């Protein structure tokens, strides 16, 4: 944090009052590819994330610097000309958030913001949504905006959809905005009603394993899955009175699936329907203290993502299979898929051996080195210190 403050001073100068903000990354425990289908998700905020030191300016300039991308230097724009530009690379995220805020709230002056993120890069733990929410809390705080966190979450998602052009659902921004230490958020993505659920795993730990396989082509395949689900919904709506796949029960799906003519599209919809119901059941098990039953549903989630939704790939499958063999109570891919991370529940006594053996087996299968982290569930986006 000291380093980030020093870097801020080096890049932007010492004068004026600064404050420090933080927004976490996120990991989803279960409920994958259900958010844009109006279903449930169950993510939590991580203790790693994005730090931001920020200061108001007297003029209309907005200037960004990231310690993670020093070669980009300071990226500068102005409040009256915030448009997407390839050249601005990572800074399109904060630019987008400011542009979207500007439409509904008065942002009277520019800002200088320096960022530092400790989320493993490209791992699918939502470093982009983390930058968005860090920027949102900066704006709320510096300009004393009267805006609820849920509204900031929605604006950040809109910035990613409309400004950056990535068609994501609401899960990442919601988990990062509304996360709470030692809790996961059960969110109904249709109504945005949510419940903070304590994660008490007693003698178990949550382990993230990064496959270190970059998510190539992920965006186009993500969009394709979204379109297939929309198509399937339309077909079901011919006879069913539902507004999303999240509305459909397993029984309804089995009774009406013949309406979805294309076999692949039918599989995609089956995942969305069953995964949503699985998520609701899994959270009930967890509330009853049945970690084993929760873990089993995590495993089923992975199988469904592998066979029906087809978003896993060799690396994620190899990591999950090695985790199952090493005695994980539950293990699955997490996030969009096509690379990135898995999440596993492992007995605390077995964590060291698990990491070692899964690492060896994963390397043997794929030739890649995996990285492992014991999850600490942290708080959502907030100001850390003012007046620095
Ligand atoms: C990405 C998206 C989320 C969600 C997941 C899949 O992380 O940003 O909105 O759709 O994929 O569950």
């Amino acid at each position: 944090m000291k380093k980030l403050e020093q870097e801020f001073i080096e890049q932007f100068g010492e004068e004026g009052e600064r404050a420090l903000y933080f927004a976490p990354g996120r990991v989803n425990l279960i409920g994958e590819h259900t958010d844009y289908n109006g279903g449930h998700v169950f993510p939590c905020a991580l203790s790693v994330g994005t730090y931001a030191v920020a200061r108001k300016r007297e003029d209309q300039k907005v200037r960004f610097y990231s310690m993670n991308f020093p070669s980009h230097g300071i990226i500068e724009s102005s409040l009256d000309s915030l448009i997407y530009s390839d050249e601005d690379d990572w800074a399109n995220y904060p630019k987008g958030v400011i542009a979207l805020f500007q439409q509904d709230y008065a942002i009277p002056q520019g800002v200088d913001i320096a960022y530092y993120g400790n989320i493993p890069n490209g791992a699918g733990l939502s470093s982009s949504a983390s930058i968005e929410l860090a920027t949102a809390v900066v704006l709320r705080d510096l300009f004393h905006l009267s805006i609820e966190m849920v509204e900031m979450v929605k604006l950040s998602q809109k910035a990613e959809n409309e400004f950056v052009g990535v068609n994501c659902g609401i899960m990442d921004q919601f988990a990062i905005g509304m996360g709470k230490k030692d809790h996961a958020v059960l969110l109904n993505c249709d109504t945005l009603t949510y419940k903070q659920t304590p994660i008490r795993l007693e003698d178990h730990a949550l382990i993230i394993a990064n496959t270190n396989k970059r998510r190539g082509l992920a965006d186009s395949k993500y969009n394709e899955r979204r379109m297939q689900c929309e198509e399937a919904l339309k077909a079901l709506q011919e006879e069913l009175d539902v507004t999303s796949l999240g509305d459909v029960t397993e029984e309804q799906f089995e009774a009406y699936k013949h309406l979805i003519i294309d076999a692949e599209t039918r599989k995609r919809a089956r995942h969305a329907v069953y995964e949503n119901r699985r998520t609701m059941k899994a959270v009930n098990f967890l509330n009853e203290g049945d970690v084993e039953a929760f873990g089993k549903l995590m495993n089923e989630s992975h199988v469904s993502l592998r066979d029906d939704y087809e978003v896993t790939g060799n690396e994620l499958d190899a990591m999950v299979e090695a985790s199952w063999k090493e005695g994980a109570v539950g293990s699955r891919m997490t996030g969009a898929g096509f690379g990135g991370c898995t999440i596993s529940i492992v007995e605390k006594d077995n964590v060291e051996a698990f990491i070692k053996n899964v690492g060896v087996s994963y390397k043997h299968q794929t030739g890649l080195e995996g990285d492992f982290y014991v999850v600490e569930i942290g708080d959502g986006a907030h100001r850390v210190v003012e007046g620095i």
Side-chain angles (χ1 to χ4, degrees):
M1 258 131 284
K2 269 273 151 258
K3 267 200 186 147
L4 179 60
E5 205 193 329
Q6 275 163 16
E7 192 68 49
F8 181 99
I9 291 169
E10 205 157 292
Q11 298 295 332
F12 298 126
E14 197 167 13
E15 64 286 352
E17 191 165 296
R18 301 174 292 270
L20 173 69
Y21 304 84
F22 174 75
R26 71 92 187 92
V27 67
N28 189 21
L29 303 184
I30 193 161
E32 218 65 82
H33 289 277
T34 46
D35 61 350
Y36 53 83
N37 284 309
H40 290 76
V41 292
F42 193 51
C44 52
L46 298 171
S47 60
V48 290
T50 310
Y51 291 87
V53 170
R55 176 185 65 194
K56 256 192 288 203
R57 296 180 56 85
E58 294 305 321
D59 58 15
Q60 298 286 297
K61 279 184 192 160
V62 288
R63 299 195 297 173
F64 311 105
Y65 180 83
S66 169
M67 285 178 75
N68 300 80
F69 305 102
S71 62
H72 286 91
I74 293 177
I75 297 175
E76 186 177 312
S77 188
S78 167
L79 281 179
D80 51 22
S81 60
L82 289 168
I83 43 167
Y84 180 90
S85 133
D86 276 342
E87 240 172 66
D88 289 352
D89 198 72
W90 70 271
N92 283 302
Y93 293 103
K95 271 173 64 180
V97 170
I98 299 177
L100 265 293
F101 264 68
Q102 250 190 331
Q103 292 175 6
D104 296 335
Y105 298 88
I107 307 288
Q109 294 146 262
V111 280
D112 291 332
I113 315 178
Y115 298 87
Y116 169 70
N118 57 2
I119 303 172
N121 209 357
L125 300 174
S126 288
S127 53
S128 47
S130 175
I131 296 176
E132 288 159 12
L133 264 304
T135 309
V137 287
V138 163
L139 296 178
R140 177 184 65 180
D141 199 60
L142 290 187
F143 300 112
H144 308 290
L145 306 177
S146 151
I147 176 172
E148 299 282 333
M149 184 56 90
V150 173
E151 202 48 43
M152 303 208 285
V153 162
K154 288 190 205 162
L155 281 180
S156 297
Q157 184 206 9
K158 211 168 166 201
E160 184 141 350
N161 292 167
E162 293 174 10
F163 193 92
V164 183
V166 174
N167 210 5
C168 63
I170 188 102
M171 170 171 74
D172 305 346
Q173 289 80 6
F174 202 96
I176 289 169
M178 306 298 289
K180 184 171 161 191
K181 191 169 167 42
D182 298 330
H183 288 67
V185 193
L186 175 65
L187 169 67
N188 176 330
C189 299
D190 193 26
T191 57
L192 292 194
T193 45
Y194 67 96
K195 204 164 176 223
Q196 310 274 15
T197 306
I199 298 295
R200 284 190 223 98
L201 298 175
E202 311 286 333
D203 42 7
H204 295 89
L206 283 167
I207 311 273
I208 289 175
N210 186 356
T211 61
N212 283 316
K213 150 91 176 152
R214 286 297 190 123
R215 306 180 325 169
L217 289 181
D219 285 352
S220 61
K221 290 192 183 160
Y222 185 90
N223 289 340
E224 187 188 287
R225 298 298 183 280
R226 283 194 73 144
M227 272 153 53
Q228 289 175 314
C229 287
E230 277 163 31
E231 222 176 275
L233 175 64
K234 264 200 211 118
L236 292 175
Q237 281 170 331
E238 281 168 29
E239 292 194 26
L240 272 180
D241 182 20
V242 289
T243 53
S244 71
L245 291 181
D247 259 0
V248 181
T249 63
E250 292 115 321
E251 294 74 22
Q252 283 174 320
F253 182 76
E254 294 306 328
Y256 291 96
K257 63 184 180 195
H258 60 274
L259 295 171
I260 311 166
I261 307 296
D262 178 57
E264 193 179 86
T265 307
R266 200 180 314 130
K267 281 204 302 184
R268 306 298 191 238
R270 183 165 63 191
H271 168 76
V273 169
Y274 277 77
E275 178 76 355
N276 177 43
R277 300 285 147 172
R278 192 158 33 236
T279 303
M280 294 154 78
K281 285 180 206 157
V283 175
N284 282 338
F285 280 131
L286 202 62
N287 287 335
E288 289 161 8
D290 195 342
V291 179
E292 300 273 336
F294 184 86
K296 274 212 185 93
L297 293 182
M298 287 173 78
N299 299 345
E300 282 180 22
S301 165
H302 185 81
V303 170
S304 176
L305 288 156
R306 183 189 68 195
D307 299 343
D308 278 352
Y309 221 60
E310 297 183 270
V311 292
T312 58
N314 289 343
E315 293 79 7
L316 284 167
D317 288 339
M319 189 68 93
V320 163
E321 268 151 40
S323 305
W324 288 340
K325 276 200 198 113
E326 273 309 311
V329 173
S331 184
R332 56 181 291 276
M333 59 149 270
T334 181
F338 309 106
C341 291
T342 66
I343 177 82
S344 305
I345 298 184
V346 178
E347 275 172 33
K348 276 188 181 152
D349 291 344
N350 189 28
V351 166
E352 230 172 276
F354 176 88
I355 291 178
K356 185 168 162 274
N357 296 339
V358 174
V360 169
S361 160
Y362 176 69
K363 179 148 194 201
H364 180 73
Q365 288 290 320
T366 62
L368 292 171
E369 209 72 63
D371 285 318
F372 297 83
Y373 311 90
V374 177
V375 171
E376 281 173 40
I377 304 179
D379 279 321
H382 59 278
R383 185 179 64 207
V384 185
V385 221
E386 60 183 326
I388 55 172

